[in-house]
Amino acid sequence: MADFAKRSEVTIQTMGKVHNPSGEGVRAVSQQAQAKFLKQKNTPPPETNDHETKTKEGTAKRNITRKKTDPRETGNYDSRNKKQGGHGKGKWKDDELVGYDGEEVLDEKDPLYDEAEAPYVLGSHEDPVSEGFHEVEGKKIYGPMLTLSEFKLQVQECVHEYFDSCDTDEVIQTIEELQCQEFHPDVVKKVISISLDKHPRERELVSRLLTCLHPTPLSDADMETGFNILLDSLDDLTTDVPDARTMIANFLARAVVDEVLPPAYLSEQNNQRPGEIVIEKAISLLTREHSTARLERVWGPGDGRPVDELKVAMDQLLQEYLLSRELDECARCVKELDSAHYMHELVKRGVKKIAMEQDGKDSATQHEKSSIDAMAALFGFLVKNAIISEYQVKKGVDRLHRILDDLKLDVPTAPTLLQDFENMLKEELPPSQNAKKE
């Protein structure tokens, strides 16, 4: 320990001085490297010919050159056999690589081949058309083409287009192209629920659409299942549309009349859902007198029927009003007409055909019983409740003035009656609306 303690400290600065203070004996280059350098320096370079391309036979260089250059000389050289500058060994075949379009080519003879990994398209396993192979996509089909939410969205867009075009063939073609037979019962529920907050015209179109969809592409089982889904969602539909139960009962009765549903369906549902108002109302609609003819017009005169039939409906409700004098009931019937743009015809027929031609009496002598007075009260009530616009009333009165000469031939007191009607109508309307009319 004493000797070790006397030794100087070894550091980076004193390391060379301690071990080799003079620096002698340390060679910069080894003897072997010096000898090799001197040998290369004294050896003259070999003579080469820049134009010489041939090599000696039997050498490794000759063998490598033959493999690389011979195909070029013959014109059969294929650069695809090279692997990043290599000589082509270990090159994958083209059929084992991913194609340029990104689709992996699988070999069915491969022991590790899995059919589930092969290209496929979603389709319906119950639809015989979509089973097996999709000709357009060129792929196998497993399951439905769309999810339920996607399918409902497509049906909703198609139904809205149908309300504009009234083309049932287009709807049938769209449902068939979707290839989702598993979701066909939801078509019934979807189209009916869409029409609940629409007008009678749209509900009539839906009833006709269900008739066209049956039995292809919607079968009997699809129709019954669809109405079951609809009945199960009555509470949710009633929250959005208070009159949903009444309208669904009309749809059920109309479907039985159109032979979309069998009559036994209502009996089965009545046993399964005892006390359900919808089922009971549908059965009552089918058991009343002339039920078939009435259910064909179950959606009222505003279902898109011809103008001639609309005029007949106007005459009937006006005559019923003159007998009962119930303003609320008559207003409800006018709403069911769903023809706000054609209410001027109601004014014209109410004054001309119903009031003038029915009695032709002067309202000054029998004011309380006059039909003219009743018509003035009716149209004043309809304008106050925004059922008929004031413009439609004014247009109807203008039409009466244009045919006044013809009216005098049938009713000589027509000019006086028309003037009395206008005066009574001014009294029925609010002051602000009277000012606008004048």
Side-chain angles (χ1 to χ4, degrees):
M1 292 296 292
D3 295 338
F4 179 78
K6 294 179 180 179
R7 294 177 60 182
S8 58
E9 185 179 358
V10 179
T11 62
I12 296 176
Q13 291 78 8
T14 62
M15 183 181 295
K17 296 180 181 180
V18 174
H19 295 284
N20 192 6
S22 62
E24 295 179 0
V26 180
R27 295 178 178 274
V29 182
S30 64
Q31 293 181 357
Q32 293 83 358
Q34 288 182 355
K36 186 177 181 179
F37 175 74
L38 293 175
K39 184 179 179 180
Q40 292 178 353
K41 184 177 181 180
N42 297 330
T43 304
E47 296 181 1
T48 58
N49 186 358
D50 296 338
H51 300 284
E52 185 178 2
T53 58
K54 296 184 179 180
T55 58
K56 295 181 181 181
E57 293 289 342
T59 62
K61 185 177 181 181
R62 172 62 180 171
N63 294 337
I64 296 173
T65 305
R66 182 185 296 114
K67 292 178 182 179
K68 287 189 175 181
T69 58
D70 285 353
R72 287 186 179 181
E73 294 177 358
T74 58
N76 297 325
Y77 179 74
D78 189 359
S79 61
R80 292 179 297 178
N81 293 329
K82 296 183 66 178
K83 181 181 179 184
Q84 301 297 331
H87 52 76
K89 289 186 177 180
K91 176 73 170 58
W92 291 98
K93 294 181 180 180
D94 293 339
D95 56 353
E96 296 177 354
L97 294 176
V98 178
Y100 292 104
D101 54 356
E103 296 183 359
E104 184 178 0
V105 181
L106 301 179
D107 186 7
E108 297 182 359
K109 298 180 181 180
D110 190 346
L112 301 178
Y113 174 76
D114 187 2
E115 186 178 359
E117 296 180 359
Y120 63 90
V121 174
L122 296 178
S124 176
H125 67 274
E126 295 182 357
D127 188 359
V129 178
S130 63
E131 286 182 356
F133 194 77
H134 196 284
E135 297 180 356
V136 178
E137 297 291 339
K139 300 177 182 179
K140 294 184 179 180
I141 301 171
Y142 297 92
M145 293 285 290
L146 304 173
T147 62
L148 179 58
S149 59
E150 293 173 343
F151 178 76
K152 289 182 178 180
L153 183 60
Q154 294 287 339
V155 172
Q156 181 177 355
E157 295 177 355
C158 181
V159 171
H160 286 302
E161 293 180 0
Y162 167 67
F163 288 158
D164 296 332
S165 64
C166 303
D167 188 0
T168 56
D169 294 336
E170 182 67 21
V171 180
I172 295 174
Q173 181 179 357
T174 301
I175 294 176
E176 291 177 347
E177 290 177 353
L178 292 178
Q179 297 184 357
C180 297
Q181 187 174 357
E182 297 176 6
F183 304 145
H184 281 183
D186 292 275
V187 175
V188 180
K189 189 251 183 182
K190 190 64 178 178
V191 297
I192 293 179
S193 60
I194 291 175
S195 66
L196 292 180
D197 57 349
K198 300 291 184 180
H199 297 89
R201 173 183 174 274
E202 283 75 13
R203 291 191 281 273
E204 175 66 23
L205 290 176
V206 168
S207 295
R208 297 177 185 177
L209 177 62
L210 294 177
T211 305
C212 296
L213 291 176
H214 179 266
T216 303
L218 270 64
S219 61
D220 295 338
D222 293 335
M223 285 292 180
E224 294 182 9
T225 306
F227 275 100
N228 289 339
I229 298 174
L230 185 66
L231 293 174
D232 292 337
S233 60
L234 278 176
D235 295 336
D236 296 335
L237 295 175
T238 307
T239 303
D240 299 331
V241 184
D243 296 335
R245 295 183 182 274
T246 301
M247 288 186 283
I248 292 176
N250 293 339
F251 272 114
L252 282 170
R254 176 67 178 272
V256 173
V257 171
D258 293 339
E259 297 182 357
V260 174
L261 290 175
Y265 174 80
L266 293 179
S267 301
E268 295 175 358
Q269 293 300 318
N270 194 23
N271 296 332
Q272 297 176 5
R273 308 171 191 265
E276 179 59 53
I277 300 176
V278 175
I279 305 298
E280 294 179 355
K281 182 173 178 58
I283 295 176
S284 65
L285 291 174
L286 290 169
T287 54
R288 64 180 179 176
E289 187 178 2
H290 306 296
S291 60
T292 302
R294 292 183 177 183
L295 287 173
E296 289 178 354
R297 302 296 183 187
V298 69
W299 301 119
D303 57 0
R305 65 182 65 184
V307 176
D308 293 339
E309 297 185 12
L310 186 61
K311 292 179 179 180
V312 173
M314 288 181 177
D315 293 341
Q316 291 177 352
L317 71 89
L318 290 172
Q319 291 174 356
E320 291 179 0
Y321 164 70
L322 290 178
L323 294 175
S324 63
R325 303 296 175 98
E326 294 182 2
L327 292 174
D328 294 335
E329 179 65 20
C330 185
R332 185 188 64 82
C333 296
V334 173
K335 285 183 180 180
E336 291 180 354
L337 293 177
D338 193 24
S339 302
H341 63 284
Y342 201 57
M343 288 296 102
H344 56 84
E345 180 69 20
L346 182 68
V347 177
K348 174 193 168 186
R349 303 184 76 83
V351 177
K352 167 185 171 288
K353 185 173 183 180
I354 305 301
M356 290 185 178
E357 296 182 0
Q358 183 171 345
D359 50 17
K361 296 180 180 180
D362 190 359
S363 61
T365 58
Q366 295 184 0
H367 183 273
E368 296 180 356
K369 298 182 180 180
S370 174
S371 299
I372 291 292
D373 181 36
M375 288 298 170
L378 171 62
F379 293 120
F381 178 80
L382 295 176
V383 172
K384 290 177 184 178
N385 290 274
I387 299 175
I388 296 179
S389 65
E390 187 178 356
Y391 170 76
Q392 292 291 326
V393 176
K394 183 177 182 302
K395 186 176 181 180
V397 174
D398 292 340
R399 292 182 62 187
L400 288 171
H401 280 287
R402 287 197 296 268
I403 62 173
L404 190 58
D405 294 337
D406 295 336
L407 287 176
K408 289 191 297 184
L409 299 177
D410 299 329
V411 183
T413 59
T416 304
L417 294 175
L418 183 57
Q419 184 63 37
D420 293 340
F421 172 76
E422 291 180 318
N423 295 334
M424 295 176 188
L425 187 60
K426 290 180 182 180
E427 296 176 0
E428 295 290 339
L429 295 177
S432 59
Q433 293 179 334
N434 271 329
K436 291 181 181 180
K437 185 175 180 180
E438 292 175 357

